[in-house]
Amino acid sequence: MHVSIDAIIVGAGPNGLAAAIELARAGKRVRIYEANDHVGGGARSANLTLPGFIHDVCSAVHPLAFSSPFFTKLPLAKYGLQFIEPPAAVAHPFDDGSAILLKRSVEATSLQLGGDARRYRNLMQAFVDNWEKLSHDILGPLRIPRHPVALAHFGVHAIRSAEGLLKSRFREMRTRAFCAGLAAHSSIPLDQLGTAAFGLVLGTLGHRVGWPIPRGGAQAISDALSSYFRDLGGEIITGVHVTAIKDLPRARCILFDVTPRQLIQIVGENFPPSFSAKLKRYRYGPGVFKMDWALDGPVPWLAAECREAATVHLGGSFEEILESERSPWHGRVSDRPFVLVCQPSLFDTTRAPEGNHTLWAYCHVPNGSDLDVSNRIEDQIERFAPGFRKLVLARHVMSPAQLEAHNSNLIGGDINGGAQILRQMFSRPTLKTYSTAIDDVYICSSSTPPGGGVHGMCGYHAARLALRKSFS
Ligand SMILES: Cc1cc2nc3c(=O)[nH]c(=O)nc-3n(C[C@H](O)[C@H](O)[C@H](O)COP(=O)(O)OP(=O)(O)OC[C@H]3O[C@@H](n4cnc5c(N)ncnc54)[C@H](O)[C@@H]3O)c2cc1C
């Protein structure tokens, strides 16, 4: 029997799944092709070390998924998705054994910041109060804002470099270090324009919704999305790596959850050369070097407060974080890299056998780097948690090349689908954003606005555009 398809999605990452769901909710017959044997892309969990230990292969901490304007509209709890909110969003330890915690309350957080307390409240409170308004305008393509006043107030700060904003706003070196840790999620040097935006958004989310983790791991997000999609009548075919558009069956439209480099390989010769040239100019960011551990106990943090947060930022001082995030852009890795750590099993007992724990961490390295930085990462953990190495039962390492082999969207280990530099925030990957030079062929990955993270908003906006243009 011939079953006609309205839309094909290539790639079952969070954005591919989001696009598929939005199209299926509009009554379209949708089929997804996924290269891996499992759905999820950058939101996957697997048994990477020892039996009984569940590790997040890529994403681990999910304020963006939890507060996504699209995901929150979906009945994902019905499909088993539960979030756990640790008491604090982030812990930032210092060498003297103290730590600053990002707490839900702006006031309580500010009280740890000495002379910067009032300045921190003045900066953050309005963003926290206006998050509902801001999220609509920030988490999508450039368009006429619905809330221009709130957006303008956010924009004047967000457009700045994190380094510039923090130096002009705060006097205390500890406050600057703590906030630089939030901004360093951008993966780009903190003296670049627009890096302040990452710290402000992630800090605001920490106050507004916390930084939750899904019970059972990131796979729970992907499994809930894919189960819901199947219940809407959608079809998922795994284990098929699409290499040429001509191999796909006929459909009204195709949405690619891939990055520009792959799009050129798959569709390339059908694009006008000028469009391919634009895609080739798209810039990828640094890679990451990722590690997972099975531990014989919780991490022995010097600062006991670190046990209150799933996410721990190991960067020490402001200057060290600046240097660490500058280095990968110049082909280096800092001796003391800024390390993002997640300790989910402290809050989710499904991740490890009783008494044991899992640990997840990465640092930024030059794109495609083959340098083994596992010792530098472990040294950073040991610096703030002496005795850590004695607890290691097993470790698992993923270099940029191994990450890319796991998921071909992770070009050179870039986890954001392309550098999130100012030029590529809205003209992402080109000024056409979700459209391409071919009618009915779209791109829906994190290489479109609003960029990296598990939130599905790239897929959602691409699907809305496809519904308007290909099915009107
Ligand atoms: C180490 C790491 C840590 C991260 N930490 C976080 C975090 O804590 N929180 C957070 O919110 N985000 C995090 N991220 C980022 C997040 O995972 C990504 O931004 C997000 O997954 C992007 O979703 P996507 O759907 O655009 O692409 P992806 O999730 O990369 O999915 C793309 C999918 O397409 C498939 N595919 C690619 N090419 C083809 C092809 N030719 N044919 C068929 N299928 C194909 C791939 O196999 C993959 O399944 C992290 C990422 C990494 C790698």
Side-chain angles (χ1 to χ4, degrees), residues 10-16 33-36 40-43 57-62 64 240-242 257-258 262 266 288 290 360 362 407-410 415 445-446 452-454:
V10 175
N15 284 312
Y33 289 100
E34 164 56 47
N36 272 316
V57 186
C58 298
S59 69
V61 186
H62 291 94
L64 293 166
V240 175
H241 190 104
V242 176
D257 185 11
V258 305
Q262 299 138 284
I266 300 170
V288 308
K290 158 95 190 320
W360 166 112
Y362 70 79
N407 173 354
S408 53
N409 280 30
L410 304 174
I415 70 172
S445 71
S446 60
V454 175

Side-chain angles (χ1 to χ4, degrees), residues 5 9 13 109 126 141 185 229 241 351 360 424 428-429 457-458:
I5 309 168
I9 314 284
T109 305
H185 284 254
F229 171 62
H241 190 104
R351 309 287 187 107
W360 166 112
Q424 291 188 170
R428 189 172 177 87
M457 294 308 291
C458 311

Side-chain angles (χ1 to χ4, degrees), residues 59-321:
S59 69
V61 186
H62 291 94
L64 293 166
F66 182 76
S67 63
S68 159
F70 181 56
F71 289 169
T72 48
K73 282 200 298 197
L74 310 179
L76 299 180
K78 201 179 129 203
Y79 293 89
L81 181 60
Q82 280 176 40
F83 282 98
I84 300 168
E85 186 191 346
V90 179
H92 187 119
F94 295 92
D95 287 312
D96 64 0
S98 68
I100 292 176
L101 297 180
L102 177 65
K103 299 181 179 181
R104 274 293 200 108
S105 154
V106 177
E107 169 84 17
T109 305
S110 74
L111 292 177
Q112 305 162 83
L113 306 180
D116 285 328
R118 187 179 45 80
R119 285 187 282 272
Y120 183 82
R121 289 196 298 273
N122 287 348
L123 179 67
M124 296 304 292
Q125 192 65 57
F127 304 143
V128 176
D129 293 343
N130 286 321
W131 177 246
E132 301 301 326
K133 294 177 182 169
L134 284 170
S135 63
H136 173 268
D137 291 326
I138 294 171
L139 298 177
L142 198 57
R143 57 197 156 166
I144 297 168
R146 248 193 230 171
H147 304 284
V149 177
L151 187 66
H153 176 65
F154 177 78
V156 291
H157 299 291
I159 193 88
R160 297 185 65 183
S161 74
E163 182 178 355
L165 178 70
L166 298 177
K167 279 183 172 165
S168 65
R169 192 88 192 183
F170 299 123
R171 309 273 152 75
E172 309 269 354
M173 293 310 284
R174 287 162 56 93
T175 312
R176 290 182 186 175
F178 163 66
C179 294
L182 302 175
H185 284 254
S186 63
S187 305
I188 50 180
L190 300 185
D191 60 356
Q192 291 208 14
L193 287 179
T195 42
F198 295 86
L200 294 176
V201 167
L202 289 174
T204 300
L205 283 173
H207 293 305
R208 190 72 199 220
V209 299
W211 284 19
I213 55 170
R215 186 179 299 282
Q219 189 71 50
I221 299 175
S222 304
D223 287 350
L225 289 168
S226 57
S227 301
Y228 175 49
F229 171 62
R230 286 194 174 102
D231 275 3
L232 291 169
E235 189 187 357
I236 304 178
I237 301 180
T238 55
V240 175
H241 190 104
V242 176
T243 52
I245 193 167
K246 66 175 172 43
D247 298 339
L248 292 170
R250 283 177 67 83
R252 287 275 285 279
C253 64
I254 308 174
L255 286 78
F256 285 94
D257 185 11
V258 305
T259 81
R261 194 173 296 176
Q262 299 138 284
L263 193 64
I264 294 171
Q265 285 157 6
I266 300 170
V267 188
E269 59 199 32
N270 298 296
F271 284 142
S274 59
F275 186 71
S276 295
K278 282 184 188 148
L279 290 179
K280 281 183 191 147
R281 280 202 291 276
Y282 185 72
R283 185 158 179 200
Y284 290 89
V288 308
F289 189 97
K290 158 95 190 320
M291 295 185 75
D292 291 276
W293 297 266
L295 298 179
D296 192 18
V299 179
W301 300 111
L302 270 178
E305 304 93 302
C306 291
R307 286 181 208 127
E308 293 184 41
T311 307
V312 186
H313 285 166
L314 302 183
S317 73
F318 181 51
E319 296 303 332
E320 270 180 81
I321 297 172

Side-chain angles (χ1 to χ4, degrees), residues 5-10 23 245 248-256 263 267 271 432 434-444 462-463 465-472:
I5 309 168
D6 291 318
I8 288 174
I9 314 284
V10 175
L23 288 160
I245 193 167
L248 292 170
R250 283 177 67 83
R252 287 275 285 279
C253 64
I254 308 174
L255 286 78
F256 285 94
L263 193 64
V267 188
F271 284 142
K432 286 183 176 293
Y434 315 99
S435 299
T436 68
I438 302 177
D439 286 347
D440 305 319
V441 172
Y442 302 89
I443 177 166
C444 68
L465 187 69
L467 286 169
R468 282 201 303 278
K469 284 178 63 175
S470 298
F471 295 97
S472 59

